[in-house]
Amino acid sequence: METIVLDIGETLVRDDRHWASWADWLGVPPHTLGALVGAAVAQGSEATDALRILRPDMDVEEAYRARAAAGRGEHLDESDLYQDVRPALAELRAAGIRVVVAGNGTVRAGELLRALDLPADLVVTSGEWGVRKPDPEFFARVAEVAGAAPEATLYVGDHPADDLFPAAAAGLRTAHLRRGPYGHWWAEHPDVVETADFRIDALTELVGLVASSSSSSSVSAASGVAPEAEGETGVRRGVLRSVRQVY
C-alpha cells in the first residue's frame, strides 16, 4: 500500500453540527431531522432526502446559499474531527504512506479542512473538482492524485454506495469504516462484506493494514464481523443490491 485516500463526512468529520444547523434553519428539533436522516439511511436513500421530507419543494443548493448569505453557512473546527483522525493520519505519513483526503463537499468545506492543517499530502473536495461521488469520474480523479497504481491505493469510507462500490469498480482497494449511520447500518450487509478488502472500526487500524496488506483476507476474518444470515437481512439486502447495480 503506497497511498491511502480518505472520505470526509463521517470518516474524518462528524456530521452532528451539519444536521443540527439544518434543523435550526428549518425550525425543527434536531432529533426530528436526525430520525428522518436515519430513515433515509435505512432505505438506502440519500441523507439529504430527509430535508425534502420536511420541505418537499426545497432546492437544497439554493437553501445552502441562502444560509450562507444569512451568515449561517458552513463551519468546521477541530471539535468536528473524530478523535482518531490526527493520530491515524500522522502515523500513516510517518510510515511513508501518501495521505489524501478526497470526498464530497463544497469549495468552502475544502477551505475549512485545509485550515485545520491535517497531516495529509492533499485535501480536496468534490466541489473543487466539479464532480461528486459516486460518479466514476470522481474516482478517476482519485486515481490521478494518488500517485500510485490503483492496486496500491486504498480508499477508506463509510458509505457503501458512494465510497465502497465505486472505488472498487475503479480498481482501487477499499476499506469500509463502521462509523456514522451508513457505516453502522450497512456494515454487515453481504455486499459490503464481499466487496471490501478490509473492514475497520477506527482509522488507527489503517497502520496495521499497511503492514499486513499482503493478507487482506486474514485481516477481514480477524475483524470479527460476520455476514448477516439471509433471514436477517430482508429488505436491507434488496435495497443495497439495487444501489450497487448502478456500478
Side-chain angles (χ1 to χ4, degrees):
M1 214 97 68
E2 298 175 24
T3 300
I4 291 184
V5 186
L6 300 106
D7 170 46
I8 298 172
E10 290 301 343
T11 296
L12 302 185
V13 176
R14 300 164 57 100
D15 282 348
D16 312 45
R17 187 197 301 272
H18 172 79
W19 293 115
S21 65
W22 271 112
D24 182 59
W25 178 256
L26 296 173
V28 300
H31 75 271
T32 297
L33 182 54
L36 292 173
V37 170
V41 169
Q43 293 171 7
S45 302
E46 288 298 320
T48 50
D49 287 348
L51 300 174
R52 298 183 182 93
I53 292 174
L54 292 168
R55 301 289 186 273
D57 59 347
M58 171 183 281
D59 181 321
V60 176
E61 292 300 321
E62 183 178 318
Y64 170 83
R65 290 191 291 270
R67 286 180 50 193
R72 298 168 68 180
E74 288 183 84
H75 179 79
L76 185 65
D77 62 31
E78 192 73 21
S79 67
D80 295 299
L81 296 177
Y82 279 98
Q83 291 186 349
D84 60 356
V85 171
R86 284 195 182 277
L89 271 56
E91 285 186 69
L92 289 170
R93 293 189 80 190
I97 299 297
R98 176 171 169 80
V99 175
V100 175
V101 175
N104 283 346
T106 63
V107 172
R108 176 60 175 159
E111 295 169 350
L112 292 169
L113 277 170
R114 286 189 290 274
L116 294 178
D117 194 24
L118 295 171
D121 297 282
L122 175 67
V123 176
V124 65
T125 65
S126 61
E128 294 166 324
W129 274 349
V131 61
R132 286 178 60 83
K133 296 183 297 181
D135 192 308
E137 178 59 27
F138 180 93
F139 289 93
R141 297 293 296 272
V142 167
E144 288 177 9
V145 301
E151 62 271 16
T153 302
L154 180 72
Y155 194 85
V156 183
D158 64 296
H159 197 307
D162 281 359
D163 302 327
L164 178 61
F165 302 148
L172 306 176
R173 302 191 76 182
T174 58
H176 182 255
L177 175 63
R178 186 196 291 264
R179 176 174 285 175
Y182 285 99
H184 281 287
W185 182 256
W186 297 108
E188 298 182 18
H189 190 281
D191 286 355
V192 171
V193 174
E194 175 189 349
T195 303
D197 292 298
F198 308 101
R199 289 180 292 140
I200 60 175
D201 295 316
L203 296 179
T204 46
E205 295 177 39
L206 291 172
V207 177
L209 296 189
V210 170
S212 60
S213 60
S214 61
S215 57
S216 62
S217 59
S218 64
V219 173
S220 295
S223 68
V225 181
E228 293 171 312
E230 174 68 32
E232 295 175 347
T233 57
V235 174
R236 288 172 63 190
R237 177 190 290 270
V239 167
L240 196 56
R241 284 195 183 279
S242 68
V243 173
R244 188 182 183 190
Q245 286 170 1
V246 174
Y247 311 107

